[in-house]
């Protein structure tokens, strides 16, 4: 065992001790998500609702409201009705009473407050998470390494890009950086929520460290990669609280559409006045404002911003940091997924999948021999042999091997095993190495050994021969095991019209075997970094959006080229800077979940837009007949809801228009339930549920409100 391996072993032991201590002292620690204390829970607390209520009033500021054209028009109308409450004849002679104007004013005011409340509530969840992260970010002291090698303590805020910092056991890592020297276990629970420390070392793809995490064993010397205020944690705080949230292209397009619709309906209302005067019909200003508010898409206008913020929040709930809302939205439009094989589709460790005996040996004898050769093998392959043998009914007693001599694997012998006190020698290793070992001992080579080994190699596996004394018992079939459940996930992707491509450095035969077992649509064998970029560009030239995951420096160009690049938090700084999403859990399969979240965001926005516009149909039948029915009794035929009076009809439609916004807040925050299906089926389903439902629900709601108001009025 060399020095690096010894340090890794020591780090693992200290890491185990740290985990044991944590389990004893922190029995209620939450794993796998970003919240770590009761104050940071994502459930809506009383304080969060109260703060959102206060913020709803603050957002009435016209300078804030003008960013949302639809709701700004509503605010202008609310201000005009307030003036009418003071003087009903301010603009023109009015037949409506002061009480009617006051009722319209308060309904419009609550429409604004409900819309602002939805946005403030979505922002409040992000701010609560940001407050939790700020507790992690503190002005820590850093051990700055001077040019002459001496150490000087400085504030972490004084560190600049390129500075060298030494971090000892128990100290917080002051900012983002790259390990240049040392190997240590790092506690990243403050960022990921996962209590198990991770091993980081200089060089390779696991050398980047994040500010706010803690060294729990050994020490590291790191090079600072960011300037003050630009660290990973700083960006994360700004993004999750919405401080840097920009509207996505689809959101901007929809806002523009809503503004155009609002302008069209405003023109319609303005032209309605001279037409009514020509017919001898007098329309009150408050009624015209009520009609305008009911006709313009106020429901989606009030919820649009909340949907976008909540979509970003859903991504962070999966411990994924999106650098922009555009990245989340792009994930919903992905046509092609490009995934690495090792660590993404497969576990990355060769694991025992079968014990194949040679001629003259029974399956039970071969399984027992493989178990005996692996009981002291602490490698992932060795542990997988013991596990598989246990599943096949074989067991071993520690006392039988208490005095056994452990034979370590070396590059020269390419074998490992045990020498028992009884004199029995057990070996496991490469087929050619075992053949030479048996031949030198005067043993016989089974005739079918090479055929078994070649069959395993052609299937993409690794054959390990097992021998006891001078006899070969068989071959252990090791293969890079495909993660369970992936085939079903890829089938879901296929149902959504998403193509999956596996990239691997394996030979074509091995790649084809893994691709078939995993269920991907295509694969690229013997892939180099430039091959990944070429594959992404090829798909993009065909007009497709491409997503990719990676963690190494060699993945950075491809991550930057992809429309959605998901980098692992455990990966290099180059990969994280090139990507537009970072997975804090470093789970490469998370990309599949990100795609689902992106689609859910798009579906939620589309569904609520459909529902909002469909609502208008019912409101037409409520308000239009009510406005003209006294002067034109023939319009009674359009009063299909049989509403009690013109005033009650208008107020009922206006009240429904207001209360539907808070009723839809849970859907905007949680998102419409997403099912894997084609775009055509999704469209049909949403049109039926939110289109037809959006027409039916207002008819029922307005009628019920009218029944209540008719008794009051």
């Amino acid at each position: 065992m060399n020095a690096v391996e010894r340090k890794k072993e020591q780090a693992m032991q200290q890491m185990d001790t740290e985990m044991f201590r944590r389990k004893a002292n922190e029995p209620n620690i939450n794993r796998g998500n970003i919240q770590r204390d009761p104050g940071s829970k994502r459930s809506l607390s009383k304080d969060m609702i109260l703060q959102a209520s206060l913020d709803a009033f603050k957002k009435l500021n016209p300078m804030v409201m003008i960013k949302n054209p639809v709701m700004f028009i509503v605010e202008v109308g609310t201000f005009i009705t307030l003036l009418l409450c003071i003087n009903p004849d301010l603009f023109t002679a009015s037949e409506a009473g002061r009480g009617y104007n006051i009722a319209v004013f308060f309904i419009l005011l609550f429409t604004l407050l409900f819309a602002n409340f939805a946005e403030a509530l979505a922002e409040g969840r992000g701010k609560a998470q940001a407050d939790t992260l700020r507790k992690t970010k503190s002005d820590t002291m850093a051990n700055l390494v001077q040019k002459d090698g001496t150490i000087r303590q400085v504030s972490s805020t004084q560190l600049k890009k390129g500075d060298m910092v030494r971090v000892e056991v128990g100290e917080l890592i002051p900012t983002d950086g790259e390990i240049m020297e040392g190997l240590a276990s790092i506690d990243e629970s403050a960022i990921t929520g996962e209590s198990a420390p991770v091993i980081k070392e200089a060089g390779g793809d696991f050398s980047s460290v994040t500010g706010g995490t803690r060294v729990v064993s050994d020490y590291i010397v790191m090079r600072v990669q960011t300037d003050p205020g630009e660290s990973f944690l700083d960006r994360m705080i700004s993004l999750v609280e919405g401080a840097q949230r920009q509207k996505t292209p689809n959101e901007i397009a929809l806002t523009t559409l809503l503004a155009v619709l609002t302008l069209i309906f405003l023109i319609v209302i303005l032209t309605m006045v001279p037409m009514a005067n020509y017919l001898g019909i007098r329309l009150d200003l408050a009624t015209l404002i009520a009609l305008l508010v009911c006709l313009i898409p106020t429901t989606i206008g009030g919820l649009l911003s909340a949907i976008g913020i909540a979509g970003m929040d859903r991504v962070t709930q999966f411990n994924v940091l999106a650098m922009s809302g555009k990245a989340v939205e792009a994930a919903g439009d992905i046509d092609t997924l490009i995934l690495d094989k090792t660590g993404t589709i497969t576990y990355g460790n060769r694991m025992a999948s079968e014990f194949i005996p040679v001629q003259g040996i029974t399956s039970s004898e071969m399984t027992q021999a493989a178990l005996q050769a692996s009981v002291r093998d602490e490698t992932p392959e060795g542990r997988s042999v013991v596990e598989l043998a246990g599943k096949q009914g074989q067991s071993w007693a520690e006392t039988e091997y208490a005095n056994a001599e452990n034979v370590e694997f070396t590059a020269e012998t390419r074998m490992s095993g045990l020498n028992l006190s009884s004199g029995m020698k057990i070996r496991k290793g490469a087929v050619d190495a075992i053949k030479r070992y048996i031949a030198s001992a005067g043993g016989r080579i089974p005739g079918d050994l090479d055929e078994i080994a070649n069959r395993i190699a052609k299937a993409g596996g690794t054959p390990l021969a097992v021998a006891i004394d001078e006899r070969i018992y068989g071959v252990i079939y090791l293969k890079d095991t495909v993660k369970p459940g992936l085939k079903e996930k890829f089938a879901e992707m296929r149902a959504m019209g998403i193509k999956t491509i596996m990239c691997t450095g394996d030979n074509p035969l091995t790649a084809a075997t893994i691709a078939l077992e995993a269920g991907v649509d295509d694969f690229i064998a013997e892939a180099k970094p430039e091959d990944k970029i070429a594959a992404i560009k090829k798909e993009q030239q065909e007009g497709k959006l491409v997503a990719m995951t990676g963690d190494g420096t060699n993945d950075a160009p491809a991550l930057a080229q992809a429309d959605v690049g998901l980098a692992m938090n455990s990966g290099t700084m180059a990969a994280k800077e090139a990507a537009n999403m970072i997975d804090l859990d470093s789970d490469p399969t998370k990309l599949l979940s990100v795609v689902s979240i992106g689609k859910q965001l798009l579906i939620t926005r589309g569904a609520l837009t459909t529902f909002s516009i469909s609502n208008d149909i019912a409101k037409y039948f409520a308000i239009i007949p009510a406005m003209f029915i006294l002067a034109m009794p023939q319009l009674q035929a359009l009063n299909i809801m049989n509403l009690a009076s013109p005033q009650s009809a208008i107020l009922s439609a206006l009240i429904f228009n207001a209360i539907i916004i808070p009723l839809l807040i849970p859907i905007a925050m949680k998102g419409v339930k997403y099912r894997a299906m084609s775009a055509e089926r999704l469209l049909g389903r949403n049109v039926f549920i939110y289109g037809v439902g959006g027409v039916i629900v207002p008819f029922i709601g307005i009628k019920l409100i009218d029944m209540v108001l008719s008794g009051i009025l």
Side-chain angles (χ1 to χ4, degrees):
M1 182 182 293
N2 59 33
V4 173
E5 290 173 337
R6 280 197 300 273
K7 289 200 72 176
K8 280 192 177 182
E9 184 68 26
Q10 292 167 1
M12 290 295 292
Q13 290 173 358
Q14 190 158 353
M15 188 172 73
D16 292 340
T17 303
E18 176 69 14
M19 289 177 64
F20 179 81
R21 180 192 64 76
R22 256 194 222 166
K23 289 178 180 178
N25 296 333
E26 302 176 32
N28 296 321
I29 191 165
N30 292 328
R31 293 176 176 238
N33 53 44
I34 207 159
Q35 61 266 24
R36 286 161 293 283
D37 58 71
S40 63
K41 288 183 180 178
R42 295 183 185 279
S43 57
L44 299 178
S45 64
K46 291 182 180 179
D47 291 341
M48 196 179 294
I49 293 174
L50 178 61
Q51 185 59 49
S53 301
L54 295 174
D55 289 343
F57 283 93
K58 294 177 183 177
K59 287 177 178 289
L60 291 175
N61 183 343
M63 300 305 295
V64 176
M65 294 297 299
I66 201 169
K67 296 177 182 178
N68 188 334
V70 177
M71 301 315 296
F72 180 70
I73 292 294
V74 177
E75 184 170 48
V76 172
T78 305
F79 179 72
I80 294 174
T81 54
L82 175 61
L83 297 178
L84 292 175
C85 293
I86 300 170
N87 183 2
D89 299 321
L90 180 63
F91 297 101
T92 181
S94 174
E95 296 181 356
R98 191 186 302 272
Y100 175 76
N101 291 337
I102 292 174
V104 172
F105 165 72
F106 278 106
I107 295 171
L108 292 180
L109 178 62
F110 278 103
T111 302
L112 287 172
L113 291 175
F114 287 150
N116 289 346
F117 177 77
E119 183 176 0
L121 197 61
E123 289 175 348
R125 294 171 71 174
K127 288 177 180 177
Q129 182 183 346
D131 290 340
T132 301
L133 291 171
R134 282 195 179 93
K135 295 176 184 178
T136 300
K137 180 177 169 58
S138 58
D139 187 12
T140 57
M141 299 302 292
N143 300 317
L144 180 64
V145 180
Q146 305 291 320
K147 290 183 178 179
D148 60 2
T150 59
I151 301 292
R152 181 168 65 93
Q153 281 211 332
V154 299
S155 169
S156 60
T157 56
Q158 298 177 18
L159 295 175
K160 303 183 299 296
K161 192 171 184 178
D163 285 346
M164 301 294 288
V165 177
R166 183 182 176 99
V167 189
E168 301 284 352
V169 176
E171 293 180 347
L172 284 175
I173 294 173
T175 187
D176 297 353
E178 198 91 20
I179 299 176
M180 307 306 295
E181 178 187 331
L183 176 149
S185 55
I186 309 293
D187 173 9
E188 296 186 332
S189 60
I191 301 297
T192 67
E194 176 55 56
S195 62
V198 295
I199 297 292
K200 295 291 184 78
E201 60 183 318
D205 292 341
F206 298 94
S207 58
S208 71
V209 288
T210 305
T213 58
R214 187 182 300 275
V215 174
V216 296
S217 78
D218 296 285
Y219 77 96
I220 58 170
V221 175
M222 55 172 276
R223 176 187 287 136
V224 176
Q225 296 287 340
T226 60
D227 287 319
E230 298 177 0
S231 71
F232 176 73
L233 199 56
D234 288 315
R235 285 184 294 154
M236 189 172 180
I237 290 171
S238 297
L239 288 165
V240 297
E241 70 179 355
Q244 293 183 358
R245 195 189 88 88
Q246 296 179 342
K247 289 186 176 181
T248 64
N250 283 350
E251 196 173 350
I252 292 172
L254 184 54
T255 301
T256 303
L257 174 63
L258 298 181
V260 170
L261 289 175
T262 300
L263 181 61
I264 290 172
F265 284 120
L266 182 60
I267 294 171
V268 169
I269 297 300
L270 292 175
T271 56
M272 190 178 288
V273 175
M275 293 173 60
N277 290 337
Y278 178 78
L279 295 172
I281 301 171
R282 181 171 233 167
L283 298 176
D284 289 309
L285 185 55
T287 299
L288 289 172
I289 292 172
L291 175 61
L292 175 63
V293 171
C294 285
L295 291 184
I296 64 178
T298 51
T299 305
I300 186 60
L303 294 173
L304 186 59
S305 184
I307 293 170
I309 296 171
M312 291 282 288
D313 184 66
R314 280 195 294 275
V315 172
T316 58
Q317 286 181 39
F318 275 76
N319 265 8
V320 173
L321 173 62
M323 297 307 178
S324 67
K326 182 180 179 181
V328 181
E329 202 168 75
D333 285 330
I334 286 300
D335 300 297
T336 305
L337 283 178
I338 295 182
L339 307 106
D340 277 331
K341 186 204 77 170
T342 305
T344 304
I345 293 176
T346 64
Y347 283 107
N349 291 323
R350 299 174 303 168
M351 303 180 72
S353 64
E354 188 180 357
F355 302 130
I356 306 173
V358 295
Q359 290 177 346
I361 301 294
T362 65
S363 295
S364 178
E365 289 174 333
M366 170 55 195
T367 303
Q368 183 63 30
L371 174 62
Q372 289 177 309
S374 305
V375 292
R376 292 285 182 85
D377 186 352
E378 293 302 321
T379 64
E381 294 91 341
R383 288 194 293 268
S384 72
V385 171
V386 174
E387 182 180 353
L388 181 60
K391 289 179 180 178
Q392 296 185 5
Q394 297 293 339
S395 61
W396 61 284
E398 178 64 35
T399 54
E400 296 180 20
Y401 305 94
N403 299 318
E405 177 190 354
N406 192 33
V407 179
E408 297 284 354
F409 177 89
T410 66
E412 291 77 22
T413 63
R414 298 168 64 211
M415 291 186 300
S416 63
L418 293 174
N419 293 331
L420 302 186
S421 56
S422 62
M424 180 186 292
K425 295 182 178 180
I426 307 168
R427 294 293 184 269
K428 173 186 69 176
V431 173
D432 58 335
I434 293 294
K435 285 169 64 177
R436 285 195 301 270
Y437 172 76
I438 293 298
S440 65
R444 185 181 64 85
I445 306 300
D448 58 344
L449 178 64
D450 288 337
E451 186 271 328
I452 295 172
N454 290 335
R455 187 171 74 243
I456 292 173
K458 287 180 180 178
T462 302
L464 287 183
V466 179
I468 297 179
D469 291 331
E470 299 170 0
R471 187 174 189 183
I472 295 177
Y473 277 61
V475 180
I476 301 172
Y477 181 2
L478 294 179
K479 68 174 182 177
D480 197 356
T481 308
V482 173
K483 293 180 179 179
L486 275 187
K487 196 163 190 173
E488 291 74 15
K489 285 188 178 181
F490 289 141
E492 289 181 11
M493 297 289 116
R494 197 173 297 110
M496 291 185 278
I498 297 174
K499 178 182 178 182
T500 53
I501 301 175
M502 180 187 77
C503 284
T504 175
D506 290 335
N507 62 68
L509 184 59
T510 302
T513 303
I514 297 292
L516 182 64
E517 187 176 350
V520 295
D521 298 314
D522 199 359
F523 66 89
I524 302 173
E526 299 176 344
K528 298 181 289 295
E530 50 268 29
D531 294 328
K532 297 178 184 179
I533 298 176
I536 293 171
K537 287 182 177 179
K538 179 177 178 294
E539 295 292 321
Q540 290 173 333
Q541 287 169 359
E542 296 174 3
K544 298 177 182 178
L545 292 181
V546 182
M548 183 195 161
T549 181
D551 59 1
T553 300
N554 61 343
D555 292 325
L559 289 170
Q561 179 67 40
D563 299 284
V564 175
L566 179 67
M568 303 297 101
N569 188 40
S570 62
T572 62
M573 289 298 296
K576 289 193 279 189
E577 288 173 358
N580 50 22
M581 287 188 179
I582 298 174
D583 176 21
L584 303 180
D585 294 328
S586 299
D587 176 7
T589 60
K590 191 78 69 69
L591 185 58
L592 304 178
S593 300
V594 169
V595 170
S596 298
I597 295 169
K599 286 193 174 292
Q600 187 185 38
L601 170 63
L602 296 176
I603 291 168
T604 300
R605 188 184 294 147
L608 293 185
T609 301
T610 303
F611 185 86
S612 175
I613 295 175
S614 299
N615 272 201
D616 293 341
I617 297 174
K619 287 181 278 190
Y620 299 156
F621 283 98
I623 293 185
I624 299 296
M627 292 175 64
F628 299 100
I629 201 167
L630 294 179
M632 303 176 64
Q634 298 88 339
L635 291 178
Q636 179 64 38
L638 294 178
N639 188 18
I640 59 177
M641 285 187 275
N642 196 27
L643 301 179
S645 68
Q647 282 193 343
S648 121
I650 293 168
L651 291 177
S652 297
L654 207 55
I655 291 172
F656 176 84
N657 192 66
I659 64 174
I660 197 63
I661 294 176
L663 291 178
L664 290 175
I665 287 177
I667 296 179
M669 300 284 281
K670 188 177 180 181
V672 173
K673 188 174 181 180
Y674 171 68
R675 292 182 175 86
M677 59 180 70
S678 65
E680 293 76 13
R681 289 184 61 194
L682 275 174
L683 178 62
R685 179 175 177 271
N686 285 339
V687 167
F688 176 75
I689 295 176
Y690 294 96
V692 177
V695 174
I696 296 173
V697 170
F699 275 97
I700 299 171
I702 292 172
K703 179 60 180 176
L704 292 174
I705 296 170
D706 176 75
M707 292 170 63
V708 175
L709 288 180
S710 61
I712 298 174
L713 298 176

